């Protein structure tokens, strides 16, 4: 345990000159000690500027991904094949909205506002996960998204439950619980299709073919071209590298694909006993970077829809702001009445 007085260096008084320098060193040492001791950094704690910026970058991108991620599946709510399927899909899409809210709230503790983050997204200046820039032409895509995309999300996010920044790690715990339900519902959609007619089995296989490679890209560029990984791992935000997580994901998929009866669309995929890792074909990295640059199949549609939803929601924000203003006015006048 770190003694609580280790944190006392980050007070509101701003000393000048050499004293300030000394205090910065002391604050940095406290921060380093907390990270080394696997303690959580909380919003009240001093933290290096670069740590704060990295967290804002990652958490806001993550929040945007959840919100944009509602679109490919939202596309199928009205066309789900039964009332039960519709209710399940609607619940899942609502969960993604909830994840976005936890994450925006976690990012707000770092000094950025929700409005600023939203503006960055609708201006096209913010990144969000590459995976949501692909289309969902058939019902089987709902199965493939649940199984592969939520599966990748679980592999990536379970270690984030131990992220060094408290509000992020805590948000992740609930997100991960919900993601495991999401993955199971996707798996079950695919399993049902695979037990159906030849056309249904083909539809499931085609969807797996469409989503397999983009889901591997979700983990980010290879380790040797991942500029943020080393520092994020040193700060214990990330616990595993992009390639390590990709390997874990494939280990999870291979036995599940066998149960489903689908083929993972990589003829080179095999366990390499010498290297103790999965050998796989080269991922199409030029495609990944095209999507990141805004030139994926659905980038512009996703942003257009997000902008339209933001405009359509203007009256809700105005009504909520007016309601909050009136509530404040009322409590002030009650307070004034009590004082008089
Ligand atoms: N897509 O140095 P790197 C979900 C960017 S939500 C787009 O390795 P880092 C779900 C990266 O941001 C899924 N951009 O970065 C929702 C960086 O750019 P900047 C979202 C990507 O941060 C609804 C640059 O490439 N999950 O699952 O160390 C329904 C260099 O990369 C991507 C999260 O956000 C990508 N795939 O590692 C269903 C999880 N990959 O910012 C499901 C939290 C990389 O320097 N985030 N980039 O301009 C993370 O774990 C990490 O941020 C990443 C990237 C592993 C994604």
């Amino acid at each position: 345990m770190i003694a609580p007085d280790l944190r006392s260096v980050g007070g509101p008084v701003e000393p000048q000159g050499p004293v300030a320098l000394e205090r910065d060193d002391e604050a940095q040492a406290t921060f380093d000690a907390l990270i080394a001791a696997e303690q959580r950094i909380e919003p009240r704690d001093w933290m290096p500027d670069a740590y704060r910026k990295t967290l804002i970058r990652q958490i806001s991108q993550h929040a945007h991904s959840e919100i944009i991620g509602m679109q490919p599946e939202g596309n199928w709510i009205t066309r789900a094949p039964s009332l039960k399927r519709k209710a399940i899909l609607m619940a899942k899409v609502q969960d993604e909205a909830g994840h976005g809210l936890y994450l925006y709230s976690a990012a707000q503790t770092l000094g950025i506002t929700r409005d600023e983050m939203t503006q960055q997204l609708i201006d096209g200046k913010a990144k969000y996960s590459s995976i949501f820039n692909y289309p969902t032409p058939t019902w089987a895509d709902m199965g493939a998204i649940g199984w592969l995309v939520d599966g990748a999300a679980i592999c990536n996010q379970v270690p984030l439950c131990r992220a060094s920044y408290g509000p992020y790690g805590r948000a992740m715990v609930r997100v991960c619980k919900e993601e495991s339900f999401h993955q199971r519902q996707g798996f079950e959609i695919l399993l049902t299709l695979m037990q159906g007619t030849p056309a249904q089995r083909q539809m499931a296989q085609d969807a797996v073919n469409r989503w397999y490679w983009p889901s591997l890209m979700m983990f980010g560029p290879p380790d040797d071209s991942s500029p943020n990984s080393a520092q994020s791992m040193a700060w214990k935000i990330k616990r595993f590298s992009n390639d390590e997580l990709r390997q874990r994901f494939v280990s999870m998929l291979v036995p599940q694909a066998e149960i489903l009866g689908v083929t993972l669309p990589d003829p080179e995929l095999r366990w390499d006993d010498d290297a103790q890792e999965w050998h796989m074909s080269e991922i199409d990295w030029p495609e990944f970077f095209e999507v990141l640059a805004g030139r994926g199949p659905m980038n512009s549609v996703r942003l257009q829809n997000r902008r339209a939803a933001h405009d359509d929601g203007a009256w809700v924000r105005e009504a909520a702001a007016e309601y909050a203003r009136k509530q404040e006015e009322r409590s002030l006048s009650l307070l004034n009445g009590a004082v008089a």
Side-chain angles (χ1 to χ4, degrees), residues 278-294:
W278 291 99
H279 169 81
M280 41 182 116
S281 310
E282 175 76 358
I283 292 175
D284 188 345
W285 293 117
E287 172 183 314
F288 172 74
F289 288 112
E290 276 293 289
V291 174
L292 255 61

Side-chain angles (χ1 to χ4, degrees), residues 56-190:
I56 291 177
R57 178 184 67 77
Q58 178 165 328
I59 302 173
S60 64
Q61 285 176 5
H62 194 163
H64 299 325
S65 306
E66 300 283 357
I67 298 301
I68 296 284
M70 296 167 74
Q71 292 187 35
E73 290 170 292
N75 180 33
W76 275 92
I77 290 176
T78 55
R79 294 177 291 154
S82 69
L83 185 61
K84 190 174 142 207
R85 292 286 185 202
K86 196 189 288 266
I88 295 171
L89 187 60
M90 201 146 48
K92 178 187 191 280
V93 173
Q94 281 177 345
D95 283 352
E96 312 300 356
H99 299 174
L101 292 183
Y102 312 151
L103 287 160
Y104 281 128
S105 302
Q108 280 178 279
T109 63
L110 292 153
I112 186 166
T113 66
R114 171 96 177 263
D115 283 348
E116 285 173 295
M117 290 183 275
T118 304
Q119 202 57 48
Q120 288 168 358
L121 177 63
I122 60 183
D123 286 347
K125 290 181 183 151
K127 284 200 174 78
Y128 59 85
S129 183
S130 51
I131 193 75
F132 301 117
N133 294 305
Y134 292 88
T136 45
T138 72
W139 169 250
D141 290 283
M142 299 306 96
I145 290 185
W147 181 44
L148 295 171
V149 177
D150 289 279
I154 291 170
C155 284
N156 170 265
Q157 292 169 24
V158 165
L160 289 174
C161 295
R162 292 188 292 123
S164 56
Y165 188 57
Y168 191 31
R170 289 189 287 273
M172 280 299 103
V173 172
R174 179 145 177 199
V175 169
C176 285
K177 282 187 186 151
E178 292 174 351
E179 296 294 13
S180 30
F181 147 67
H182 296 170
Q183 199 210 10
R184 277 177 218 178
Q185 68 86 40
F187 185 88
E188 200 263 337
I189 290 174
L190 289 180

